[in-house]
mmCIF file of all heavy atoms in Angstrom:
data_model
loop_
_atom_site.group_PDB
_atom_site.id
_atom_site.type_symbol
_atom_site.label_atom_id
_atom_site.label_comp_id
_atom_site.label_asym_id
_atom_site.label_seq_id
_atom_site.Cartn_x
_atom_site.Cartn_y
_atom_site.Cartn_z
ATOM 1 N N GLU K 1377 23.884 -7.058 4.819
ATOM 2 C CA GLU K 1377 24.297 -7.785 3.611
ATOM 3 C C GLU K 1377 23.521 -9.092 3.453
ATOM 4 O O GLU K 1377 23.238 -9.535 2.342
ATOM 5 C CB GLU K 1377 25.797 -8.052 3.630
ATOM 6 C CG GLU K 1377 26.305 -8.889 4.799
ATOM 7 C CD GLU K 1377 26.692 -8.052 6.003
ATOM 8 O OE1 GLU K 1377 26.155 -6.937 6.150
ATOM 9 O OE2 GLU K 1377 27.547 -8.522 6.798
ATOM 10 N N LEU K 1378 23.130 -9.704 4.570
ATOM 11 C CA LEU K 1378 22.335 -10.929 4.506
ATOM 12 C C LEU K 1378 20.895 -10.615 4.112
ATOM 13 O O LEU K 1378 20.283 -11.353 3.331
ATOM 14 C CB LEU K 1378 22.368 -11.645 5.854
ATOM 15 C CG LEU K 1378 23.704 -12.251 6.267
ATOM 16 C CD1 LEU K 1378 23.668 -12.727 7.713
ATOM 17 C CD2 LEU K 1378 24.076 -13.416 5.347
ATOM 18 N N GLU K 1379 20.358 -9.523 4.648
ATOM 19 C CA GLU K 1379 19.007 -9.133 4.271
ATOM 20 C C GLU K 1379 18.932 -8.800 2.785
ATOM 21 O O GLU K 1379 17.971 -9.186 2.086
ATOM 22 C CB GLU K 1379 18.546 -7.940 5.099
ATOM 23 C CG GLU K 1379 17.116 -7.528 4.776
ATOM 24 C CD GLU K 1379 16.668 -6.291 5.527
ATOM 25 O OE1 GLU K 1379 17.157 -6.063 6.643
ATOM 26 O OE2 GLU K 1379 15.816 -5.540 4.990
ATOM 27 N N ALA K 1380 19.951 -8.105 2.279
ATOM 28 C CA ALA K 1380 19.980 -7.759 0.859
ATOM 29 C C ALA K 1380 20.030 -9.028 0.003
ATOM 30 O O ALA K 1380 19.321 -9.133 -1.014
ATOM 31 C CB ALA K 1380 21.186 -6.876 0.558
ATOM 32 N N ALA K 1381 20.848 -9.992 0.426
ATOM 33 C CA ALA K 1381 20.940 -11.260 -0.312
ATOM 34 C C ALA K 1381 19.618 -12.018 -0.251
ATOM 35 O O ALA K 1381 19.193 -12.638 -1.240
ATOM 36 C CB ALA K 1381 22.070 -12.114 0.268
ATOM 37 N N ALA K 1382 18.951 -11.959 0.890
ATOM 38 C CA ALA K 1382 17.668 -12.654 1.037
ATOM 39 C C ALA K 1382 16.605 -12.026 0.135
ATOM 40 O O ALA K 1382 15.811 -12.730 -0.509
ATOM 41 C CB ALA K 1382 17.224 -12.614 2.494
ATOM 42 N N ARG K 1383 16.583 -10.715 0.078
ATOM 43 C CA ARG K 1383 15.602 -10.044 -0.779
ATOM 44 C C ARG K 1383 15.841 -10.382 -2.256
ATOM 45 O O ARG K 1383 14.894 -10.570 -3.025
ATOM 46 C CB ARG K 1383 15.660 -8.532 -0.554
ATOM 47 C CG ARG K 1383 15.102 -8.091 0.797
ATOM 48 C CD ARG K 1383 15.094 -6.586 0.936
ATOM 49 N NE ARG K 1383 14.540 -6.136 2.203
ATOM 50 C CZ ARG K 1383 13.240 -6.009 2.467
ATOM 51 N NH1 ARG K 1383 12.356 -6.293 1.515
ATOM 52 N NH2 ARG K 1383 12.823 -5.589 3.653
ATOM 53 N N GLU K 1384 17.108 -10.448 -2.636
ATOM 54 C CA GLU K 1384 17.431 -10.825 -4.021
ATOM 55 C C GLU K 1384 16.982 -12.254 -4.291
ATOM 56 O O GLU K 1384 16.433 -12.560 -5.352
ATOM 57 C CB GLU K 1384 18.937 -10.683 -4.233
ATOM 58 C CG GLU K 1384 19.400 -10.977 -5.653
ATOM 59 C CD GLU K 1384 18.855 -9.984 -6.664
ATOM 60 O OE1 GLU K 1384 18.562 -8.817 -6.275
ATOM 61 O OE2 GLU K 1384 18.715 -10.375 -7.850
ATOM 62 N N TRP K 1385 17.224 -13.127 -3.340
ATOM 63 C CA TRP K 1385 16.843 -14.539 -3.453
ATOM 64 C C TRP K 1385 15.323 -14.708 -3.563
ATOM 65 O O TRP K 1385 14.826 -15.556 -4.313
ATOM 66 C CB TRP K 1385 17.390 -15.274 -2.226
ATOM 67 C CG TRP K 1385 17.032 -16.709 -2.067
ATOM 68 C CD1 TRP K 1385 17.093 -17.695 -3.008
ATOM 69 C CD2 TRP K 1385 16.563 -17.345 -0.870
ATOM 70 N NE1 TRP K 1385 16.709 -18.906 -2.474
ATOM 71 C CE2 TRP K 1385 16.378 -18.715 -1.157
ATOM 72 C CE3 TRP K 1385 16.319 -16.884 0.424
ATOM 73 C CZ2 TRP K 1385 15.940 -19.630 -0.196
ATOM 74 C CZ3 TRP K 1385 15.889 -17.799 1.381
ATOM 75 C CH2 TRP K 1385 15.694 -19.149 1.068
ATOM 76 N N LEU K 1386 14.568 -13.872 -2.840
ATOM 77 C CA LEU K 1386 13.115 -13.991 -2.800
ATOM 78 C C LEU K 1386 12.416 -13.187 -3.894
ATOM 79 O O LEU K 1386 11.187 -13.270 -4.028
ATOM 80 C CB LEU K 1386 12.601 -13.515 -1.428
ATOM 81 C CG LEU K 1386 13.009 -14.377 -0.227
ATOM 82 C CD1 LEU K 1386 12.752 -13.641 1.078
ATOM 83 C CD2 LEU K 1386 12.270 -15.707 -0.255
ATOM 84 N N LYS K 1387 13.188 -12.439 -4.675
ATOM 85 C CA LYS K 1387 12.606 -11.600 -5.716
ATOM 86 C C LYS K 1387 11.802 -12.461 -6.705
ATOM 87 O O LYS K 1387 12.278 -13.484 -7.196
ATOM 88 C CB LYS K 1387 13.702 -10.842 -6.458
ATOM 89 C CG LYS K 1387 13.191 -9.774 -7.408
ATOM 90 C CD LYS K 1387 14.350 -9.047 -8.075
ATOM 91 C CE LYS K 1387 15.169 -8.261 -7.065
ATOM 92 N NZ LYS K 1387 16.257 -7.491 -7.736
ATOM 93 N N GLY K 1388 10.580 -12.057 -6.972
ATOM 94 C CA GLY K 1388 9.738 -12.781 -7.909
ATOM 95 C C GLY K 1388 9.020 -13.972 -7.320
ATOM 96 O O GLY K 1388 8.282 -14.678 -8.026
ATOM 97 N N SER K 1389 9.203 -14.218 -6.025
ATOM 98 C CA SER K 1389 8.567 -15.383 -5.391
ATOM 99 C C SER K 1389 7.087 -15.152 -5.111
ATOM 100 O O SER K 1389 6.337 -16.121 -4.910
ATOM 101 C CB SER K 1389 9.274 -15.712 -4.080
ATOM 102 O OG SER K 1389 9.077 -14.669 -3.128
ATOM 103 N N GLY K 1390 6.670 -13.889 -5.066
ATOM 104 C CA GLY K 1390 5.285 -13.593 -4.724
ATOM 105 C C GLY K 1390 5.031 -13.594 -3.228
ATOM 106 O O GLY K 1390 3.884 -13.398 -2.798
ATOM 107 N N LEU K 1391 6.076 -13.798 -2.433
ATOM 108 C CA LEU K 1391 5.928 -13.839 -0.983
ATOM 109 C C LEU K 1391 6.269 -12.482 -0.372
ATOM 110 O O LEU K 1391 7.225 -11.824 -0.772
ATOM 111 C CB LEU K 1391 6.862 -14.905 -0.386
ATOM 112 C CG LEU K 1391 6.564 -16.368 -0.772
ATOM 113 C CD1 LEU K 1391 7.723 -17.257 -0.353
ATOM 114 C CD2 LEU K 1391 5.259 -16.830 -0.120
ATOM 115 N N GLU K 1392 5.461 -12.086 0.583
ATOM 116 C CA GLU K 1392 5.760 -10.862 1.326
ATOM 117 C C GLU K 1392 6.996 -11.089 2.203
ATOM 118 O O GLU K 1392 7.175 -12.179 2.765
ATOM 119 C CB GLU K 1392 4.562 -10.499 2.215
ATOM 120 C CG GLU K 1392 4.800 -9.297 3.118
ATOM 121 C CD GLU K 1392 3.732 -9.140 4.183
ATOM 122 O OE1 GLU K 1392 2.721 -9.887 4.152
ATOM 123 O OE2 GLU K 1392 3.930 -8.287 5.084
ATOM 124 N N VAL K 1393 7.830 -10.084 2.294
ATOM 125 C CA VAL K 1393 9.020 -10.159 3.153
ATOM 126 C C VAL K 1393 8.758 -9.338 4.414
ATOM 127 O O VAL K 1393 8.532 -8.132 4.344
ATOM 128 C CB VAL K 1393 10.276 -9.634 2.427
ATOM 129 C CG1 VAL K 1393 11.471 -9.630 3.384
ATOM 130 C CG2 VAL K 1393 10.571 -10.490 1.203
ATOM 131 N N ARG K 1394 8.808 -10.010 5.575
ATOM 132 C CA ARG K 1394 8.632 -9.327 6.845
ATOM 133 C C ARG K 1394 9.974 -9.323 7.594
ATOM 134 O O ARG K 1394 10.488 -10.378 7.963
ATOM 135 C CB ARG K 1394 7.561 -10.001 7.698
ATOM 136 C CG ARG K 1394 6.177 -9.932 7.091
ATOM 137 C CD ARG K 1394 5.107 -10.450 8.036
ATOM 138 N NE ARG K 1394 3.797 -10.429 7.397
ATOM 139 C CZ ARG K 1394 2.665 -10.846 7.974
ATOM 140 N NH1 ARG K 1394 2.699 -11.310 9.231
ATOM 141 N NH2 ARG K 1394 1.517 -10.807 7.316
ATOM 142 N N VAL K 1395 10.517 -8.149 7.797
ATOM 143 C CA VAL K 1395 11.776 -8.008 8.531
ATOM 144 C C VAL K 1395 11.437 -7.839 10.008
ATOM 145 O O VAL K 1395 10.711 -6.913 10.387
ATOM 146 C CB VAL K 1395 12.585 -6.808 8.013
ATOM 147 C CG1 VAL K 1395 13.851 -6.619 8.840
ATOM 148 C CG2 VAL K 1395 12.930 -7.018 6.545
ATOM 149 N N MET K 1396 11.970 -8.725 10.832
ATOM 150 C CA MET K 1396 11.635 -8.727 12.253
ATOM 151 C C MET K 1396 12.909 -8.737 13.092
ATOM 152 O O MET K 1396 14.002 -8.996 12.586
ATOM 153 C CB MET K 1396 10.760 -9.947 12.583
ATOM 154 C CG MET K 1396 9.450 -9.973 11.814
ATOM 155 S SD MET K 1396 8.465 -11.460 12.120
ATOM 156 C CE MET K 1396 8.121 -11.280 13.881
ATOM 157 N N THR K 1397 12.752 -8.460 14.370
ATOM 158 C CA THR K 1397 13.906 -8.418 15.269
ATOM 159 C C THR K 1397 13.531 -8.903 16.661
ATOM 160 O O THR K 1397 12.365 -8.797 17.075
ATOM 161 C CB THR K 1397 14.476 -6.994 15.363
ATOM 162 O OG1 THR K 1397 15.635 -7.015 16.207
ATOM 163 C CG2 THR K 1397 13.458 -6.025 15.953
ATOM 164 N N HIS K 1398 14.525 -9.448 17.350
ATOM 165 C CA HIS K 1398 14.369 -9.787 18.764
ATOM 166 C C HIS K 1398 14.969 -8.721 19.664
ATOM 167 O O HIS K 1398 14.978 -8.870 20.884
ATOM 168 C CB HIS K 1398 15.021 -11.143 19.071
ATOM 169 C CG HIS K 1398 14.112 -12.297 18.794
ATOM 170 N ND1 HIS K 1398 14.284 -13.537 19.363
ATOM 171 C CD2 HIS K 1398 13.002 -12.405 18.007
ATOM 172 C CE1 HIS K 1398 13.338 -14.358 18.934
ATOM 173 N NE2 HIS K 1398 12.558 -13.686 18.109
ATOM 174 N N HIS K 1399 15.477 -7.644 19.074
ATOM 175 C CA HIS K 1399 15.979 -6.539 19.886
ATOM 176 C C HIS K 1399 14.792 -5.842 20.556
ATOM 177 O O HIS K 1399 13.807 -5.496 19.911
ATOM 178 C CB HIS K 1399 16.739 -5.526 19.024
ATOM 179 C CG HIS K 1399 18.027 -6.053 18.483
ATOM 180 N ND1 HIS K 1399 19.085 -6.390 19.293
ATOM 181 C CD2 HIS K 1399 18.419 -6.323 17.216
ATOM 182 C CE1 HIS K 1399 20.086 -6.836 18.547
ATOM 183 N NE2 HIS K 1399 19.704 -6.816 17.283
ATOM 184 N N CYS K 1400 14.902 -5.657 21.847
ATOM 185 C CA CYS K 1400 13.883 -4.936 22.608
ATOM 186 C C CYS K 1400 14.616 -4.170 23.704
ATOM 187 O O CYS K 1400 15.827 -4.308 23.862
ATOM 188 C CB CYS K 1400 12.844 -5.899 23.202
ATOM 189 S SG CYS K 1400 13.560 -7.142 24.318
ATOM 190 N N ASP K 1401 13.908 -3.394 24.463
ATOM 191 C CA ASP K 1401 14.556 -2.627 25.524
ATOM 192 C C ASP K 1401 13.583 -2.448 26.682
ATOM 193 O O ASP K 1401 12.724 -1.573 26.664
ATOM 194 C CB ASP K 1401 15.024 -1.266 25.007
ATOM 195 C CG ASP K 1401 15.967 -0.575 25.990
ATOM 196 O OD1 ASP K 1401 16.064 -1.037 27.137
ATOM 197 O OD2 ASP K 1401 16.590 0.422 25.606
ATOM 198 N N TYR K 1402 13.738 -3.311 27.677
ATOM 199 C CA TYR K 1402 12.900 -3.233 28.869
ATOM 200 C C TYR K 1402 13.659 -2.626 30.047
ATOM 201 O O TYR K 1402 13.237 -2.777 31.198
ATOM 202 C CB TYR K 1402 12.400 -4.635 29.250
ATOM 203 C CG TYR K 1402 11.309 -5.157 28.335
ATOM 204 C CD1 TYR K 1402 11.520 -6.261 27.521
ATOM 205 C CD2 TYR K 1402 10.054 -4.557 28.313
ATOM 206 C CE1 TYR K 1402 10.528 -6.752 26.693
ATOM 207 C CE2 TYR K 1402 9.045 -5.039 27.488
ATOM 208 C CZ TYR K 1402 9.288 -6.138 26.680
ATOM 209 O OH TYR K 1402 8.287 -6.623 25.863
ATOM 210 N N ARG K 1403 14.782 -1.947 29.779
ATOM 211 C CA ARG K 1403 15.605 -1.426 30.872
ATOM 212 C C ARG K 1403 14.864 -0.400 31.722
ATOM 213 O O ARG K 1403 15.065 -0.342 32.931
ATOM 214 C CB ARG K 1403 16.895 -0.817 30.312
ATOM 215 C CG ARG K 1403 17.897 -1.855 29.814
ATOM 216 C CD ARG K 1403 19.081 -1.201 29.162
ATOM 217 N NE ARG K 1403 18.704 -0.467 27.957
ATOM 218 C CZ ARG K 1403 19.557 0.216 27.204
ATOM 219 N NH1 ARG K 1403 20.838 0.268 27.551
ATOM 220 N NH2 ARG K 1403 19.150 0.850 26.125
ATOM 221 N N ASN K 1404 14.028 0.407 31.098
ATOM 222 C CA ASN K 1404 13.274 1.420 31.848
ATOM 223 C C ASN K 1404 11.773 1.243 31.628
ATOM 224 O O ASN K 1404 11.013 2.209 31.686
ATOM 225 C CB ASN K 1404 13.710 2.825 31.426
ATOM 226 C CG ASN K 1404 15.172 3.086 31.717
ATOM 227 O OD1 ASN K 1404 15.610 2.987 32.858
ATOM 228 N ND2 ASN K 1404 15.947 3.406 30.687
ATOM 229 N N SER K 1405 11.385 0.017 31.414
ATOM 230 C CA SER K 1405 9.996 -0.259 31.062
ATOM 231 C C SER K 1405 9.187 -0.666 32.287
ATOM 232 O O SER K 1405 9.694 -1.316 33.203
ATOM 233 C CB SER K 1405 9.931 -1.378 30.018
ATOM 234 O OG SER K 1405 8.598 -1.780 29.796
ATOM 235 N N ASP K 1406 7.913 -0.282 32.294
ATOM 236 C CA ASP K 1406 6.995 -0.735 33.338
ATOM 237 C C ASP K 1406 5.973 -1.717 32.764
ATOM 238 O O ASP K 1406 4.892 -1.921 33.330
ATOM 239 C CB ASP K 1406 6.284 0.454 33.986
ATOM 240 C CG ASP K 1406 5.510 1.306 32.976
ATOM 241 O OD1 ASP K 1406 5.549 0.988 31.774
ATOM 242 O OD2 ASP K 1406 4.870 2.293 33.409
ATOM 243 N N ALA K 1407 6.329 -2.356 31.647
ATOM 244 C CA ALA K 1407 5.438 -3.334 31.025
ATOM 245 C C ALA K 1407 5.162 -4.487 31.993
ATOM 246 O O ALA K 1407 6.069 -4.975 32.677
ATOM 247 C CB ALA K 1407 6.055 -3.869 29.733
ATOM 248 N N THR K 1408 3.929 -4.912 32.060
ATOM 249 C CA THR K 1408 3.546 -6.008 32.953
ATOM 250 C C THR K 1408 3.957 -7.349 32.341
ATOM 251 O O THR K 1408 4.273 -7.438 31.143
ATOM 252 C CB THR K 1408 2.035 -6.017 33.187
ATOM 253 O OG1 THR K 1408 1.376 -6.298 31.930
ATOM 254 C CG2 THR K 1408 1.558 -4.672 33.725
ATOM 255 N N LEU K 1409 3.924 -8.384 33.164
ATOM 256 C CA LEU K 1409 4.205 -9.733 32.672
ATOM 257 C C LEU K 1409 3.245 -10.094 31.542
ATOM 258 O O LEU K 1409 3.656 -10.654 30.514
ATOM 259 C CB LEU K 1409 4.071 -10.735 33.821
ATOM 260 C CG LEU K 1409 4.132 -12.216 33.438
ATOM 261 C CD1 LEU K 1409 5.494 -12.572 32.854
ATOM 262 C CD2 LEU K 1409 3.816 -13.093 34.654
ATOM 263 N N GLU K 1410 1.977 -9.763 31.725
ATOM 264 C CA GLU K 1410 0.967 -10.083 30.710
ATOM 265 C C GLU K 1410 1.278 -9.381 29.392
ATOM 266 O O GLU K 1410 1.141 -9.971 28.307
ATOM 267 C CB GLU K 1410 -0.421 -9.699 31.204
ATOM 268 C CG GLU K 1410 -0.954 -10.544 32.346
ATOM 269 C CD GLU K 1410 -0.294 -10.215 33.692
ATOM 270 O OE1 GLU K 1410 0.313 -9.135 33.806
ATOM 271 O OE2 GLU K 1410 -0.389 -11.059 34.603
ATOM 272 N N GLU K 1411 1.697 -8.135 29.464
ATOM 273 C CA GLU K 1411 2.014 -7.376 28.250
ATOM 274 C C GLU K 1411 3.242 -7.955 27.553
ATOM 275 O O GLU K 1411 3.266 -8.070 26.318
ATOM 276 C CB GLU K 1411 2.245 -5.907 28.602
ATOM 277 C CG GLU K 1411 0.970 -5.170 29.001
ATOM 278 C CD GLU K 1411 1.236 -3.808 29.599
ATOM 279 O OE1 GLU K 1411 2.370 -3.555 30.073
ATOM 280 O OE2 GLU K 1411 0.304 -2.971 29.602
ATOM 281 N N ARG K 1412 4.240 -8.330 28.316
ATOM 282 C CA ARG K 1412 5.448 -8.898 27.717
ATOM 283 C C ARG K 1412 5.171 -10.269 27.103
ATOM 284 O O ARG K 1412 5.683 -10.590 26.026
ATOM 285 C CB ARG K 1412 6.559 -8.957 28.762
ATOM 286 C CG ARG K 1412 7.101 -7.571 29.084
ATOM 287 C CD ARG K 1412 8.082 -7.554 30.219
ATOM 288 N NE ARG K 1412 9.303 -8.297 29.950
ATOM 289 C CZ ARG K 1412 10.459 -8.080 30.570
ATOM 290 N NH1 ARG K 1412 10.549 -7.117 31.486
ATOM 291 N NH2 ARG K 1412 11.529 -8.792 30.297
ATOM 292 N N MET K 1413 4.357 -11.069 27.755
ATOM 293 C CA MET K 1413 4.024 -12.374 27.201
ATOM 294 C C MET K 1413 3.156 -12.238 25.941
ATOM 295 O O MET K 1413 3.223 -13.074 25.029
ATOM 296 C CB MET K 1413 3.309 -13.235 28.243
ATOM 297 C CG MET K 1413 4.193 -13.630 29.433
ATOM 298 S SD MET K 1413 5.677 -14.605 29.004
ATOM 299 C CE MET K 1413 6.957 -13.330 28.943
ATOM 300 N N ALA K 1414 2.363 -11.175 25.881
ATOM 301 C CA ALA K 1414 1.557 -10.919 24.676
ATOM 302 C C ALA K 1414 2.456 -10.593 23.493
ATOM 303 O O ALA K 1414 2.174 -11.001 22.348
ATOM 304 C CB ALA K 1414 0.576 -9.779 24.934
ATOM 305 N N VAL K 1415 3.551 -9.851 23.738
ATOM 306 C CA VAL K 1415 4.519 -9.560 22.668
ATOM 307 C C VAL K 1415 5.134 -10.853 22.160
ATOM 308 O O VAL K 1415 5.284 -11.063 20.953
ATOM 309 C CB VAL K 1415 5.612 -8.600 23.184
ATOM 310 C CG1 VAL K 1415 6.727 -8.462 22.149
ATOM 311 C CG2 VAL K 1415 5.021 -7.236 23.502
ATOM 312 N N VAL K 1416 5.496 -11.735 23.081
ATOM 313 C CA VAL K 1416 6.080 -13.032 22.688
ATOM 314 C C VAL K 1416 5.086 -13.819 21.844
ATOM 315 O O VAL K 1416 5.436 -14.356 20.784
ATOM 316 C CB VAL K 1416 6.471 -13.840 23.939
ATOM 317 C CG1 VAL K 1416 6.839 -15.269 23.556
ATOM 318 C CG2 VAL K 1416 7.641 -13.182 24.656
#
């Protein structure tokens, strides 16, 4: 509901909307420290 309100608010602004998240899942990951820091 917040994303929908934000899109309505930004309508006609000419700005691209990028939807992003901090949800990740490293529970079964073998990603290295370097790879994880690159994501950050």
